[in-house]
Amino acid sequence: MVFLPQNSPSLEKLLSDFYVLTNMKICVFDFNGNELCYYPKRYCHFCECVVKNPDLYKLCQQDDLRAREECTQTKKEKIYTCHAGLTECIAPIVINNEISGYIMIGQIRTKENHSVPKELIPDEIRERYLKMPLIPYETIKSALHIVQICAEHEQLKAYLKESSMSFSSLFSFYVASHIEEEISIERLMKEFHLSRSDLYRKVKENFRVSPAQYIREQRLITAKNYLEKTDLRISDIAKKCGFSDYNYFYRMLKKRFDKSGKELRKC
């Protein structure tokens, strides 16, 4: 059971130092792809235009999701080209043989691949792409190696801090890491070495709901993110979020967000 510390001043300093040396944007994400820390606190001018276009931004999110899923499967770093022609890199942060998060560097225009897809990117955005500096591929590979060292450095600190992490942080991370699976009360009792009554009490104290209510809420929030950011079939999203009964999943979505799965997808 692991947790990646958030809002760490030392981590922020590490990222800013990396950017000063490489001029590459760097981000740290948790297991679910939520940004924990990044530098610089802005997009490059090209990506700034891309994310303002809902259709293009959705493609960005799909690229990131595919990279994280492959990284999760292999537990290895990956260099890839995004839909907009930029080079992106991802490296896993592995603690006790489990991925606790990811470090990504990106928004890079390389000398080896310096064209932008004409069928996707409007001319006014493409002009900003052509103004981006060209970075050699070998430089990117070296930067990724530094990123791996950074991941190992933060991993050590996270491992040393694990025993002092709050119950709410550990419980939240555990649920997020096993969102596709059945999470029974018995399983939670065993994982956290708590009696049934103590488990209910601690969850209630930290989240003001029961364990089952908290887990269901996280499943629904994750499903909403999939619906808004991917083109996965709704039935597949239900399975990825731990819902074995599609009809129940559909009813819960409607009840929680006052919208059907199809309606959420259009948002």
Side-chain angles (χ1 to χ4, degrees):
M1 186 171 19
V2 292
F3 178 74
L4 188 64
Q6 188 172 1
N7 300 326
S8 165
S10 59
L11 177 57
E12 292 179 0
K13 181 64 166 60
L14 195 66
L15 301 193
S16 64
D17 286 347
F18 176 86
Y19 179 76
V20 169
L21 288 172
T22 66
N23 199 33
M24 299 178 194
K25 185 178 178 72
I26 180 168
C27 302
V28 176
F29 295 86
D30 67 14
F31 184 80
N32 288 317
N34 301 307
E35 286 185 338
L36 297 179
C37 189
Y38 54 95
Y39 196 89
K41 306 290 186 180
R42 54 176 170 74
Y43 292 105
C44 68
H45 293 314
F46 170 72
C47 290
E48 190 176 58
C49 290
V50 170
V51 300
K52 288 178 180 178
N53 182 310
D55 293 332
L56 296 179
Y57 184 47
K58 187 172 184 178
L59 293 175
C60 292
Q61 294 172 317
Q62 291 173 353
D63 288 338
D64 291 345
L65 180 62
R66 280 192 291 268
R68 287 200 308 274
E69 288 181 340
E70 182 173 336
C71 192
T72 300
Q73 293 294 322
T74 64
K75 293 185 178 178
K76 294 181 179 179
E77 71 282 357
K78 177 180 175 61
I79 301 176
Y80 62 99
T81 302
C82 76
H83 73 95
L86 297 181
T87 297
E88 309 276 341
C89 311
I90 183 170
I93 302 173
V94 181
I95 304 175
N96 295 340
N97 206 36
E98 287 187 25
I99 293 179
S100 62
Y102 311 88
I103 296 185
M104 296 185 73
I105 55 176
Q107 302 182 16
I108 308 163
R109 181 183 175 215
T110 67
K111 290 184 176 180
E112 291 76 10
N113 180 21
H114 55 271
S115 61
V116 59
K118 293 183 179 179
E119 67 278 10
L120 290 177
I121 308 300
D123 290 339
E124 62 272 16
I125 300 180
R126 189 179 298 111
E127 290 179 6
R128 295 204 175 195
Y129 177 92
L130 297 174
K131 293 179 180 179
M132 295 177 67
L134 290 171
I135 299 177
Y137 190 76
E138 286 301 315
T139 300
I140 297 171
K141 288 176 65 177
S142 297
L144 182 57
H145 179 65
I146 295 173
V147 163
Q148 291 172 296
I149 295 173
C150 293
E152 292 170 3
H153 173 63
E154 289 305 314
Q155 168 186 334
L156 176 60
K157 292 198 295 182
Y159 180 79
L160 293 174
K161 290 182 178 180
E162 180 181 343
S163 61
S164 63
M165 299 276 44
S166 67
F167 172 81
S168 62
S169 296
L170 292 171
F171 188 82
S172 297
F173 183 79
Y174 183 83
V175 171
S177 301
H178 300 84
I179 203 74
E180 295 186 32
E181 307 165 20
E182 179 183 353
I183 307 176
S184 66
I185 295 300
E186 288 71 24
R187 178 177 178 178
L188 293 171
M189 290 164 56
K190 183 177 180 180
E191 181 68 27
F192 290 93
H193 307 287
L194 294 170
S195 67
R196 183 181 296 268
S197 60
D198 284 341
L199 176 66
Y200 272 84
R201 177 180 56 79
K202 290 180 77 68
V203 172
K204 192 76 171 178
E205 287 175 353
N206 284 275
F207 304 105
R208 300 184 181 180
V209 292
S210 70
Q213 289 172 322
Y214 177 82
I215 293 167
R216 184 172 62 243
E217 174 71 4
Q218 297 311 303
R219 293 190 195 281
L220 291 170
I221 290 173
T222 302
K224 181 174 182 288
N225 287 334
Y226 273 120
L227 285 164
E228 293 175 343
K229 299 176 182 179
T230 77
D231 293 322
L232 288 172
R233 294 186 304 175
I234 297 178
S235 58
D236 291 337
I237 290 174
K239 292 177 182 178
K240 287 180 76 69
C241 296
F243 290 96
S244 57
D245 185 332
Y246 176 78
N247 291 327
Y248 174 72
F249 169 66
Y250 197 88
R251 290 198 306 273
M252 289 298 100
L253 271 182
K254 184 73 174 179
K255 182 178 180 180
R256 172 62 178 83
F257 301 110
D258 198 30
K259 292 181 179 179
S260 67
K262 291 182 179 179
E263 290 171 332
L264 285 169
R265 171 144 279 170
K266 293 177 181 178
C267 293

